Amino acid sequence: MNALNKTITLVTDSSCDLPARILERLQIAVIPLLVHIGGESYEDGELSKDGFWRKSAENGGATHTSQPSVGVFEDVFARMVGRGKQVLCVTLTGKHTGTVETARLAARRFGDAVRVFDSHSLSLGLGFQLLEAARARDLGHSMEDILALLEDVRSRVHALVVLDTLESVRKGGRADAFIAVIGRMSRALNVKPIVNFVEGRVQLLGVARSFRRGIERIAASVEDLAPVDRLAVMHARNAETAENLADRLAERLCFPRNQILVGETGAVLASHAGPGAVGIFVVSRPRQGDPR
């Protein structure tokens, strides 16, 4: 194993929600997804967060997203392979988007020089996997070693999100299976859906009679996962709730508060979760006796 592996470069999509300073420091290339608002299309990140929400409101919240073209992935892969690099592309879940398949189509042109990995998550669920891949790369691990590590980390990633409204999910069409189940209940009783990811697919975990109770429920669920290796709280226009939740988790889990990433999600998750949503993203620690 080399002291530093300079031949592997990491690529991801813009749903990862890692801060720009971290992406730059770790030399992770980002391919933007597309955000559609009304009749206009933008590369994710082209609009500021305030600009995204302003345009969304002007268009009645009619926003949706789509994956980049095969050509965009090919161009990025070709540039890196041309520099003698191996490429590892880690994407958001393929269960609700065609991004991973588009990346795989682009990768065929380059044989084993480009590998594509489905994170089965998004936002910091994807971002945490990238951090682990970058750490392993910088320690000199091989591509096969890093892929094996990602398989392990992916199995320990948990994402729990409380939605303040179903409207964005309903318009996006990404969760039709449970929309039909709770849509009428949500309108009649104003319950708040709680969702998680199971093998990359968003599923209804339950409902709460208030947003506060929803937050309490996901916090308790994370406490049951302790001890944890990584922890983040992301929000969509709900910073105060996110900060308070991070404070609670730090105290309850005895986890360093300055190591909990807290931030506002970008347009990709925001387009589908809607305003007010708050989510916790966790990498749990392997249980004692776990062969991993």
Side-chain angles (χ1 to χ4, degrees):
M1 184 172 65
N2 300 325
L4 179 64
N5 193 330
K6 296 182 179 180
T7 66
I8 296 175
T9 189
L10 294 172
V11 177
T12 191
D13 62 70
S14 59
S15 75
C16 71
D17 278 339
L18 285 172
R21 68 181 187 281
I22 293 178
L23 292 165
E24 182 177 358
R25 175 169 57 82
L26 297 177
Q27 298 181 335
I28 299 173
V30 179
I31 295 177
L33 278 74
L34 299 176
V35 180
H36 310 283
I37 308 175
E40 301 293 330
S41 296
Y42 305 88
E43 288 190 347
D44 188 16
E46 185 176 349
L47 296 172
S48 66
K49 291 183 173 66
D50 287 342
F52 163 77
W53 286 108
R54 183 171 59 252
K55 286 188 174 293
S56 177
E58 291 170 354
N59 287 274
T63 65
H64 65 281
T65 59
S66 62
Q67 66 265 23
S69 68
V70 172
V72 171
F73 279 101
E74 284 185 339
D75 288 346
V76 173
F77 295 164
R79 185 167 63 250
M80 293 176 173
V81 172
R83 297 172 182 165
K85 302 286 189 179
Q86 291 180 280
V87 178
L88 174 55
C89 179
V90 187
T91 75
L92 80 166
T93 177
K95 298 297 178 67
H96 294 284
T97 173
T99 302
V100 65
E101 290 306 320
T102 300
R104 285 171 177 159
L105 282 173
R108 289 179 185 176
R109 172 181 162 189
F110 305 97
D112 288 340
V114 178
R115 308 292 287 273
V116 178
F117 185 83
D118 183 344
S119 73
H120 286 178
S121 194
L122 80 171
S123 188
L124 267 298
L126 163 60
F128 284 155
Q129 293 178 58
L130 287 164
L131 294 181
E132 293 293 343
R135 181 184 62 82
R137 174 203 61 191
D138 292 346
L139 287 172
H141 288 276
S142 68
M143 178 70 79
E144 296 304 324
D145 287 343
I146 296 172
L147 287 168
L149 171 68
L150 285 175
E151 291 274 0
D152 170 42
V153 176
R154 181 174 67 183
S155 71
R156 295 186 283 114
V157 168
H158 307 270
L160 304 100
V161 182
V162 183
L163 305 176
D164 194 40
T165 174
L166 278 174
E167 289 309 307
S168 294
V169 176
R170 183 181 288 111
K171 290 174 181 176
R174 299 301 173 105
D176 291 340
F178 68 73
I179 286 293
V181 175
I182 64 170
R184 185 177 302 174
M185 183 191 305
S186 177
R187 289 191 293 271
L189 302 177
N190 195 32
V191 296
K192 306 302 180 184
I194 303 168
V195 301
N196 66 345
F197 285 80
V198 178
E199 296 183 349
R201 187 175 298 279
V202 64
Q203 295 192 0
L204 178 67
L205 183 63
V207 295
R209 294 297 298 269
S210 69
F211 194 82
R212 179 182 61 79
R213 289 183 179 179
I215 292 294
E216 291 173 353
R217 178 164 175 180
I218 63 171
S221 295
V222 171
E223 290 166 16
D224 290 340
L225 294 171
V228 302
D229 283 337
R230 293 187 184 272
L231 184 58
V233 181
M234 300 299 291
H235 69 90
R237 305 274 97 171
N238 204 345
E240 183 177 359
T241 299
E243 293 287 351
N244 290 339
L245 177 56
D247 291 343
R248 169 181 172 166
L249 292 172
E251 180 180 356
R252 296 291 184 90
L253 299 174
C254 298
F255 195 93
R257 177 62 174 84
N258 63 357
Q259 293 182 24
I260 301 178
L261 287 172
V262 181
E264 182 170 7
T265 188
V268 175
L269 180 55
S271 291
H272 301 290
V278 173
I280 306 174
F281 296 85
V282 180
V283 180
S284 61
R285 191 170 299 169
R287 302 288 184 180
Q288 188 173 3
D290 189 324
R292 291 174 299 190

